[in-house]
Amino acid sequence: MGAIYINQKNKLENAQNSFHENMHESYKKILAKHKEFYYNRTIANINSTGVRETLATHDREKLYDLTKGRWKTLQKENPYLRIMHFHLPDGTSFLRMHEPDHYGDHIADIQPIIAKVHHSKNVESGFEIGQDGLTFRLVVPIFDQKNYIGALEFGSNPEQILREMRYFYGLEGALLIKSTQSNCCKNNLSIHDYRLQSNTIRDTSILEYLNKVNYDFTITKTIHYNGKIYNIYAFNLYDFAGKVSAKALFLQDITALHKEFQQTILELSLLVIILYVLILLVINYGFQKIVSALDKSNAELETIFATSKDGIAITDLETNFLYTNNAYLTMTGFTAEELYCKSCVSLSIPEDLPRAIKMIGEVVEKGYIENFEKTCIVKDGKRIIVNMAVALMPDKKRFLITTKNVTEAKKLENETNKYIKLIDENIITSSTDLKGNITHASEAFCAISGYSKEELIGQNHRIVKHPDTPKEIYTEIWKKLINDQVWEGELKNKKKDGSYYWVYSKIYPLYTEEGTKYGYTAIRTDLTDKKKIEEISITDGLTSIYNRRYFNEVFPKFIKSARRNNDIACFILIDIDYFKLYNDTYGHQMGDNALIKVAESIQHSLRRADDYCFRLGGEEFGILFTTQIQNHAIEFAETIRSNIEKLKIPHEKNSENPYITISVGLFISGNESILTCDLIYKQTDDLLYKAKQLGRNRVCSSNDV
């Protein structure tokens, strides 16, 4: 009986110690999380557009306008935030976002942490007592071109720590500051030299009791008060210099735990007595036979447990270990003796502890749970990720737990996810069904197209089709894809805002494992910058239409394409009538303006994406286009001539018309073989000359000859 009592008492103490260790780790992590939270917010604010420059030029109103949106967002994000304060290197307050009308005071004289940052130019943080009581402060220096221009301070109410400890652990707590350092505390309750600032303790009389018994802030202390038993945990809160500026106390009601301990001892005592009686009975009724059967059954179970590659453990309902197999010991690194002083839940990291406790409750209610993942702290502080299945045993007093170590698998999964994210953010990809409806779009595709994933998924890929792209290209794409081939080439696509981008695309068919085609996927490379450079090289600098260089490149290709497709190839040469006299009369600036307006009129008159217009030099323009009916070509040329006349650009030296007009030569290939580029150009030039001879402001075509 003495051994049972000692064993149960050790379990109780170990449970309390384990809780304290986990709580202390969580307490430290909460503090670290606060520091990281405010540091990240500080850096984000400093790096916001214009903040450094505005602080450097001491423009307070502009800095307030730049920062007020982020300040309001931060206040909504964390209601405990109460200070956002810009400081100047001379120690004065520049801008309090929380009190924008209060500035200019020499704040470094009364806040040592500010003076320290100005001196060291390093990040400082800690709990500091001010006029409003204890505040957690984080101060970050600000540099502009390596020049120190000031600092940004964030301050929050440390009561947040009490609230989070209560939320995660159900612990009531109190925050006490040195009464000699501040007169801000409205509460007169104190313990020794520390006065209560804030608390989440419902019955504050327990604090008065601690003062009466001269509680000395021992790290862990057990007290009896008003018929209950409490564990009290004390933590120091330090300022930036490492000095204690406040104390945090947390209370854990362990009355039920002690009662359970006493009840367990009583039940175990009765159980021992009953076992003694049963042993006597068994001796009289086939003790050897029963023992033999039990040995056989136990041997079978031990074989299963011993050979299993998964960790297997049996625990009580508090998850205290009763039995573990070798695989479980190997996985955790503990010996059996070490594990029997612990509980399965206590191995959880603090962040997973609430989930683990909730999971145990679900097992008691439902009888079984599987695929539960958590991170455990095992031998020597090592962390492993485990996948567990937990079942309530038939006696409803024990759990059977099977565990797999999935740490390496999780690492591999995380690495894979990182690569997938990297590809998604940097490779322009999309997938469609067989009809071209988008089923997947990468972040990079969203970024270059300007659409969100929600706007793209379900839409046909025509959503990014640019009207400048000839329909023959899409005909070629679908022809290859339908025949299970890969298409690759350059495409001009349209963004959401109406602008464009160029990509080099490879489009592949997609197949199921059974070989059935179910869609297509495209991988693209951004060519926009390259294409823009190419466009500049082939564009006339004044009129923004194609130049002579591009005409020389396109003309032979245009003729070959017309021969191949049996199209009627047409070439128009345009010359502005009496343009030299126009320049002499109105000046070259007005002449340039006239050229621009004529070019715009020609460009707007084009009918199809594969029609081209060029400035061939001076006041001479050219147009290449195809048609199926010759008369349509003449009508098109007349439309261009008429549209320019309708511009009504005054030209007093034009003897035929008071406005700028054009003479037009139109070559139509007809049904005969299309001539060479040189012959076509010469014949069109001759037609242009004829139009001038006949009185200008007219069209002469090869059909007229």
Side-chain angles (χ1 to χ4, degrees), residues 535 538-548 595-596 598-600 602-603 613-616 620-622:
E535 285 181 8
I538 63 174
T539 302
D540 177 59
L542 177 64
T543 62
S544 298
I545 62 175
Y546 292 129
N547 58 18
R548 183 64 179 249
L595 289 172
I596 292 170
V598 169
E600 288 176 349
I602 295 172
Q603 182 75 43
C613 69
F614 311 86
R615 183 186 177 199
L616 300 177
E620 188 174 69
F621 297 87

Side-chain angles (χ1 to χ4, degrees), residues 485-619:
Q485 296 176 315
V486 176
W487 182 88
E488 59 180 297
E490 296 180 354
L491 281 175
K492 184 178 183 180
N493 287 335
K494 183 176 69 173
K495 293 187 177 184
K496 181 180 178 180
D497 62 8
S499 59
Y500 68 91
Y501 62 96
W502 280 90
V503 290
Y504 184 83
S505 295
K506 274 193 174 184
I507 308 177
Y508 305 83
L510 296 174
Y511 302 93
T512 64
E513 291 183 359
E514 293 76 21
T516 303
K517 184 166 65 176
Y518 66 90
Y520 308 99
T521 190
I523 301 174
R524 307 172 183 85
T525 305
D526 186 3
L527 298 178
T528 307
D529 290 340
K530 175 188 172 187
K531 282 293 183 179
K532 285 183 177 179
I533 293 172
E534 289 179 0
E535 285 181 8
I536 291 171
S537 70
I538 63 174
T539 302
D540 177 59
L542 177 64
T543 62
S544 298
I545 62 175
Y546 292 129
N547 58 18
R548 183 64 179 249
R549 174 185 174 185
Y550 193 52
F551 172 78
N552 293 336
E553 180 183 333
V554 168
F555 199 11
K557 295 178 182 177
F558 172 80
I559 298 303
K560 288 180 181 178
S561 175
R563 286 173 179 162
R564 183 171 59 251
N565 298 323
N566 292 321
D567 288 332
I568 298 174
C570 302
F571 176 44
I572 291 176
L573 267 178
I574 296 172
D575 194 79
I576 299 177
D577 296 329
Y578 303 113
F579 190 69
K580 183 178 184 305
L581 291 175
Y582 185 89
N583 274 336
D584 293 342
T585 304
Y586 298 98
H588 287 283
Q589 182 61 51
M590 292 295 291
D592 287 348
N593 292 340
L595 289 172
I596 292 170
K597 291 178 180 178
V598 169
E600 288 176 349
S601 178
I602 295 172
Q603 182 75 43
H604 293 155
S605 299
L606 300 184
R607 298 172 177 174
R608 297 179 301 178
D610 51 357
D611 293 347
Y612 298 90
C613 69
F614 311 86
R615 183 186 177 199
L616 300 177
E619 68 273 23

Side-chain angles (χ1 to χ4, degrees), residues 346-624:
S346 71
L347 297 181
S348 309
I349 61 172
E351 298 94 316
D352 284 349
L353 190 58
R355 291 177 51 246
I357 294 173
K358 181 180 179 182
M359 180 269 293
I360 291 300
E362 290 179 3
V363 175
V364 172
E365 180 182 348
K366 299 177 182 178
Y368 184 80
I369 195 168
E370 60 182 347
N371 289 326
F372 179 79
E373 284 191 1
K374 69 170 184 172
T375 302
C376 294
I377 303 175
V378 294
K379 189 75 170 183
D380 299 327
K382 180 182 176 183
R383 294 190 173 205
I384 61 172
I385 303 172
V386 298
N387 184 285
M388 303 171 58
V390 184
L392 185 65
M393 296 188 73
D395 60 10
K396 299 187 182 299
K397 294 182 179 180
R398 295 174 297 167
F399 294 125
L400 176 64
I401 302 173
T402 58
T403 309
K404 289 183 179 181
N405 185 346
V406 296
T407 307
E408 294 303 319
K410 279 294 177 182
K411 286 182 181 178
L412 181 60
E413 179 183 338
N414 290 338
E415 287 299 317
T416 302
N417 289 337
K418 286 180 183 178
Y419 286 123
I420 291 173
K421 183 179 179 183
L422 189 65
I423 291 171
D424 186 60
E425 292 176 347
N426 294 279
I427 305 298
I428 307 168
T429 63
S430 64
S431 298
T432 71
D433 59 19
L434 292 174
K435 295 180 179 179
N437 298 315
I438 300 171
T439 57
H440 166 77
S442 70
E443 290 291 345
F445 183 44
C446 295
I448 196 170
S449 68
Y451 291 98
S452 66
K453 286 193 177 183
E454 293 75 16
E455 292 173 316
L456 289 172
I457 302 300
Q459 293 292 324
N460 192 276
H461 226 288
R462 288 190 298 270
I463 193 172
V464 294
K465 179 181 177 182
H466 198 283
D468 287 353
T469 306
K471 64 180 180 180
E472 291 80 9
I473 291 182
Y474 291 102
T475 301
E476 179 190 348
I477 292 173
W478 280 110
K479 182 178 179 181
K480 283 207 168 190
L481 294 179
I482 291 172
N483 290 315
D484 300 335
Q485 296 176 315
V486 176
W487 182 88
E488 59 180 297
E490 296 180 354
L491 281 175
K492 184 178 183 180
N493 287 335
K494 183 176 69 173
K495 293 187 177 184
K496 181 180 178 180
D497 62 8
S499 59
Y500 68 91
Y501 62 96
W502 280 90
V503 290
Y504 184 83
S505 295
K506 274 193 174 184
I507 308 177
Y508 305 83
L510 296 174
Y511 302 93
T512 64
E513 291 183 359
E514 293 76 21
T516 303
K517 184 166 65 176
Y518 66 90
Y520 308 99
T521 190
I523 301 174
R524 307 172 183 85
T525 305
D526 186 3
L527 298 178
T528 307
D529 290 340
K530 175 188 172 187
K531 282 293 183 179
K532 285 183 177 179
I533 293 172
E534 289 179 0
E535 285 181 8
I536 291 171
S537 70
I538 63 174
T539 302
D540 177 59
L542 177 64
T543 62
S544 298
I545 62 175
Y546 292 129
N547 58 18
R548 183 64 179 249
R549 174 185 174 185
Y550 193 52
F551 172 78
N552 293 336
E553 180 183 333
V554 168
F555 199 11
K557 295 178 182 177
F558 172 80
I559 298 303
K560 288 180 181 178
S561 175
R563 286 173 179 162
R564 183 171 59 251
N565 298 323
N566 292 321
D567 288 332
I568 298 174
C570 302
F571 176 44
I572 291 176
L573 267 178
I574 296 172
D575 194 79
I576 299 177
D577 296 329
Y578 303 113
F579 190 69
K580 183 178 184 305
L581 291 175
Y582 185 89
N583 274 336
D584 293 342
T585 304
Y586 298 98
H588 287 283
Q589 182 61 51
M590 292 295 291
D592 287 348
N593 292 340
L595 289 172
I596 292 170
K597 291 178 180 178
V598 169
E600 288 176 349
S601 178
I602 295 172
Q603 182 75 43
H604 293 155
S605 299
L606 300 184
R607 298 172 177 174
R608 297 179 301 178
D610 51 357
D611 293 347
Y612 298 90
C613 69
F614 311 86
R615 183 186 177 199
L616 300 177
E619 68 273 23
E620 188 174 69
F621 297 87
I623 302 173
L624 292 173

Side-chain angles (χ1 to χ4, degrees), residues 174-310:
L175 193 64
L176 301 99
I177 63 175
K178 286 188 176 180
S179 55
T180 56
Q181 291 183 280
S182 176
N183 296 319
C184 64
C185 295
K186 297 179 181 179
N187 198 312
N188 292 324
L189 199 155
S190 62
I191 301 176
H192 288 297
D193 295 333
Y194 291 88
R195 185 182 299 176
L196 178 66
Q197 174 172 302
S198 56
N199 77 94
T200 57
I201 299 174
R202 287 183 288 269
D203 183 6
T204 56
S205 66
I206 194 169
L207 297 175
E208 297 174 356
Y209 172 77
L210 292 175
N211 186 41
K212 289 179 182 179
V213 298
N214 291 320
Y215 172 65
D216 58 356
F217 296 103
T218 305
I219 293 176
T220 304
K221 187 177 181 65
T222 302
I223 65 168
H224 295 256
Y225 179 71
N226 279 352
K228 291 188 176 183
I229 304 173
Y230 296 93
N231 269 349
I232 301 178
Y233 306 104
F235 301 102
N236 291 327
L237 276 65
Y238 298 97
D239 64 11
F240 73 96
K243 296 179 181 179
V244 177
S245 59
K247 299 280 188 180
L249 298 182
F250 297 100
L251 274 64
Q252 179 192 16
D253 186 346
I254 59 172
T255 308
L257 197 61
H258 270 270
K259 286 182 179 179
E260 186 178 342
F261 165 72
Q262 294 170 352
Q263 182 67 26
T264 301
I265 294 299
L266 178 61
E267 290 176 355
L268 287 174
S269 300
L270 292 173
L271 181 60
V272 168
I273 294 171
I274 293 170
L275 285 174
Y276 283 142
V277 174
L278 287 176
I279 289 172
L280 292 175
L281 293 174
V282 168
I283 291 174
N284 293 322
Y285 293 100
F287 177 75
Q288 292 298 332
K289 185 175 181 180
I290 294 173
V291 169
S292 176
L294 288 174
D295 286 345
K296 182 178 179 181
S297 177
N298 287 338
E300 291 175 353
L301 288 174
E302 288 177 1
T303 300
I304 294 172
F305 283 14
T307 57
S308 174
K309 293 182 180 180
D310 295 338

